[in-house]
Amino acid sequence: MIQKERIFDLTPDLHAEGNVIYWMSREQRAEDNPGLLCAQQLATVMETNLSVVFTLTGDYPGAVLRHYDFMIRGLHETATSLHALHIPFYLLVGDPPQRIAEFIRDHGTGTVVADFDPLHIKRQWVAAAMQSTRAKFLEVDGHNVVPARFVSEKIEFGAYTLRPKIRRHLDRFLEILPALRPMDSHAALPELFSPGDVLDSLRLDRSVGPVDRISPGSSAATETLEVFIGERLKGYAEQRNDPNLQMTSDLSPYLHFGQISAMRVAVEVLRQHPSDADSEAFLEELIVRKELSDNFCHYHPGYDTTSGFHEWAKKTHEAHRNDEREYVYTREQFEQGATHDPLWNAAQMQIVRHGKMHGYMRMYWAKKILEWTESPEQAMEFAIYLNDTYSLDGRDPSGYTGIAWSIGGVHDRAWKERPVFGKIRYMNYNGAKRKFDVQAYIRSVNKL
Ligand code: FAD
Ligand code: FO1
């Protein structure tokens, strides 16, 4: 039922046996979750128990109260859905690899299904957990429509090289997965956690609070999708780059936390909306652009540093390292939106207050950080810190890749050479003014 290309065997020399765990992490939903379905299938065939385990750490890099509030409230909805199907959900607080290893020992687990996730921290967790137990580990890619390991075995130059590979397999992988089945009802269910109590128990940076206009959880994600298809998909191709028009889906926080499946989004768009320029443009972003990000992070360990840049970009940055910077700002000045540029400041205030910046402004925002810092290394450091701290969809492969595109020309080409930027694509205030009403955007953000 789960295509085998979605499953990667992390312990080929071990057999699947004993009780089964789905170690939920990236895909935090009950429905349309291939890793969960795979674990249920194994437990059914082996006639053993299935448990869903989420290991919660208060030290997730870059995460503050804003993200934990969104994630934990979303997890509570998922746990409730799982318990309704008599599938036990365990929330284990502490060091993830340590907690999962304890659970494996205490529950006689023989097989663990983990989510594919290209970020360093997740690879470390899985590697550490495998070190300290003898369980069989399988990894399932529940994030990409076409599984990342399968669609390409190397780092892709750009969307133009990955797109044909994705297109070739899309029909085969674009499907609605079967519904999760109820398990036999005598399974003892652990007590459901209280989101408030869990949030209070964590030692968190509480200076960046929850956002008010984006509700967490799979139901809110589905509602957001329906509203997008019904009211905003038409015209998406032309108007998605105008920050004043709110024409995009606003799905990225839900996709980041896996509260909705990209596959489900794509299938619903194609089912409810004719295949036209708008749905084409949207699916290009949702599938090609997003899956290009996983490809970059999976195959390039330096995805969050300048070492991830192409040779031409490294060279051009070297050649312009000592160029005179007209403005240089500290991380605090950026963080407080205290530069000379009201448009940049408004974009920064949009993530501080609202937790989400419009896609077009993200490019401008990151490129100006390159222009107004002492070095590309410092630009990467500041952009990643600010994006991860304030954006609800931050700490994501799409974020590291979007920042590497803006500052290091990753997946982009060389442009006409100029001071500081070298051959990195340049964007400026006048360019933005030609595209949309800058004053209206600044006013609308300052009203937030
Ligand atoms: P829509 O236009 O509705 O797109 C639908 C989905 O397609 C998005 O939810 C997202 O999953 C995907 N998508 C759209 N554009 C891109 C893109 N350029 N690259 C990869 N996937 C894309 N995206 C994040 O999810 N998290 C981030 O932290 C993030 N940081 C970024 C930083 C910079 C400097 C740049 C240039 C882009 C960044 N992006 C990030 C990508 C993109 O800007 C956002 O995914 C998009 O704005 C999310 O809004 P939406 O869901 O309304 O997008
Ligand atoms: N995943 C976990 O398995 N455990 C966590 O405690 C955890 C915290 C967390 C906080 C903020 C955030 O943005 C992501 C977090 N994640 C956590 C990972 C998340 O589930 C996604 O898998 C990745 O961020 C996307 O690659």
Side-chain angles (χ1 to χ4, degrees):
M1 150 176 46
I2 299 298
Q3 277 132 337
K4 62 183 185 329
E5 295 85 357
R6 226 175 256 295
I7 302 170
F8 185 73
D9 192 343
L10 293 166
T11 53
D13 55 343
L14 297 179
H15 301 292
E17 59 186 10
N19 293 326
V20 182
I21 294 179
Y22 166 55
W23 185 8
M24 176 183 278
S25 176
R26 197 177 191 197
E27 316 306 332
Q28 299 173 16
R29 59 186 182 275
E31 291 309 317
D32 304 329
N33 186 331
L36 177 51
L37 284 166
C38 172
Q40 182 174 61
Q41 186 180 0
L42 285 167
T44 306
V45 163
M46 296 193 294
E47 295 178 355
T48 54
N49 291 334
L50 166 68
S51 302
V52 175
V53 180
F54 188 91
T55 49
L56 175 64
T57 168
D59 303 331
Y60 197 84
V64 295
L65 175 61
R66 171 170 290 176
H67 315 114
Y68 281 101
D69 181 80
F70 190 85
M71 184 177 78
I72 289 167
R73 295 189 190 289
L75 275 174
H76 186 261
E77 180 180 337
T78 296
T80 307
S81 309
L82 291 171
H83 279 195
L85 293 168
H86 299 297
I87 298 173
F89 176 94
Y90 295 88
L91 183 71
L92 307 180
V93 182
D95 173 58
Q98 201 186 318
R99 296 308 320 268
I100 198 80
E102 282 163 17
F103 187 95
I104 288 166
R105 267 196 305 280
D106 301 349
H107 289 72
T109 306
T111 307
V112 179
V113 178
D115 287 328
F116 168 77
D117 189 327
L119 299 188
H120 303 140
I121 185 165
K122 301 303 206 45
R123 295 163 176 236
Q124 286 154 12
W125 288 358
V126 173
M130 283 167 56
Q131 286 297 323
S132 54
T133 68
R134 290 289 306 154
K136 171 140 191 90
F137 273 74
L138 295 170
E139 175 205 83
V140 173
D141 184 341
H143 209 72
N144 298 294
V145 175
V146 186
R149 290 181 189 270
F150 168 74
V151 76
S152 166
E153 69 300 326
K154 66 179 175 52
I155 198 159
E156 292 291 332
F157 269 97
Y160 72 100
T161 60
L162 182 64
R163 188 178 301 114
K165 298 180 182 179
I166 286 181
R167 282 233 167 101
R168 195 175 309 146
H169 304 292
L170 205 51
D171 292 350
R172 193 147 77 83
F173 288 102
L174 201 50
E175 57 170 349
I176 286 295
L177 297 171
L180 205 52
R181 286 183 320 91
M183 301 297 275
D184 43 15
S185 60
H186 71 259
L189 293 177
E191 195 190 331
L192 211 47
F193 67 90
S194 134
D197 293 353
V198 170
L199 281 164
D200 291 348
S201 72
L202 295 175
R203 213 172 10 87
L204 292 179
D205 171 348
R206 295 174 188 272
S207 61
V208 184
V211 294
D212 47 14
R213 290 178 16 187
I214 306 175
S215 313
S218 295
S219 314
T222 306
E223 223 174 284
T224 302
L225 172 61
E226 291 311 318
V227 165
F228 172 64
I229 294 174
E231 298 169 22
R232 301 211 294 264
L233 181 51
K234 187 157 184 38
Y236 177 86
E238 290 309 309
Q239 296 158 340
R240 66 189 168 89
N241 275 335
D242 183 335
N244 292 317
L245 295 179
Q246 293 307 326
M247 283 299 284
T248 64
S249 70
D250 276 345
L251 285 171
S252 58
Y254 301 113
L255 289 162
H256 166 69
F257 286 105
Q259 295 174 359
I260 193 168
S261 137
M263 207 136 67
R264 168 69 67 177
V265 172
V267 166
E268 288 308 316
V269 162
L270 289 169
R271 192 172 67 79
Q272 300 181 43
H273 187 96
S275 178
D276 61 11
D278 291 324
S279 49
E280 271 302 301
F282 178 74
L283 295 178
E284 167 71 9
E285 301 293 340
L286 176 79
I287 301 176
V288 177
R289 274 277 156 211
K290 186 161 79 58
E291 305 195 358
L292 181 62
S293 300
D294 262 30
N295 170 271
F296 176 61
C297 294
H298 181 65
Y299 288 114
H300 205 304
Y303 59 76
D304 53 356
T305 68
T306 54
S307 71
F309 299 171
H310 290 305
E311 280 320 306
W312 69 264
K314 288 177 182 169
K315 263 205 221 80
T316 204
H317 276 316
E318 216 35 60
H320 292 271
R321 190 170 285 284
N322 302 322
D323 287 8
E324 171 70 22
R325 267 82 171 147
E326 194 185 350
Y327 298 93
V328 173
Y329 294 111
T330 64
R331 201 181 82 174
E332 291 63 35
Q333 286 171 311
F334 281 119
E335 191 158 21
Q336 289 148 19
T339 73
H340 68 285
D341 176 353
L343 175 59
W344 191 93
N345 297 340
Q348 175 60 20
M349 285 302 110
Q350 195 172 31
I351 48 173
V352 168
R353 294 183 194 143
H354 179 40
K356 194 161 182 311
M357 188 190 296
H358 186 278
Y360 178 86
M361 286 312 302
R362 287 181 113 156
M363 298 186 280
Y364 179 85
W365 173 86
K367 285 178 178 292
K368 289 301 154 193
I369 293 176
L370 168 61
E371 191 170 353
W372 301 330
T373 41
E374 281 155 10
S375 69
E377 291 74 16
Q378 193 182 62
M380 285 294 280
E381 186 203 317
F382 288 7
I384 287 172
Y385 164 76
L386 294 169
N387 187 54
D388 280 359
T389 304
Y390 292 102
S391 296
L392 203 46
D393 64 6
R395 297 153 315 287
D396 191 276
S398 295
Y400 301 119
T401 309
I403 289 170
W405 177 90
S406 304
I407 294 176
V410 166
H411 301 144
D412 198 0
R413 64 177 175 82
W415 292 73
K416 197 164 85 46
E417 191 152 12
R418 57 178 300 120
V420 181
F421 279 76
K423 297 174 185 166
I424 301 293
R425 178 197 298 252
Y426 181 64
M427 286 176 81
N428 71 350
Y429 187 92
N430 293 332
K433 248 171 62 175
R434 279 194 299 275
K435 273 201 174 263
F436 63 90
D437 181 342
V438 163
Q439 293 314 324
Y441 171 73
I442 296 171
R443 276 197 307 277
S444 72
V445 171
N446 292 336
K447 252 199 356 278
L448 270 184

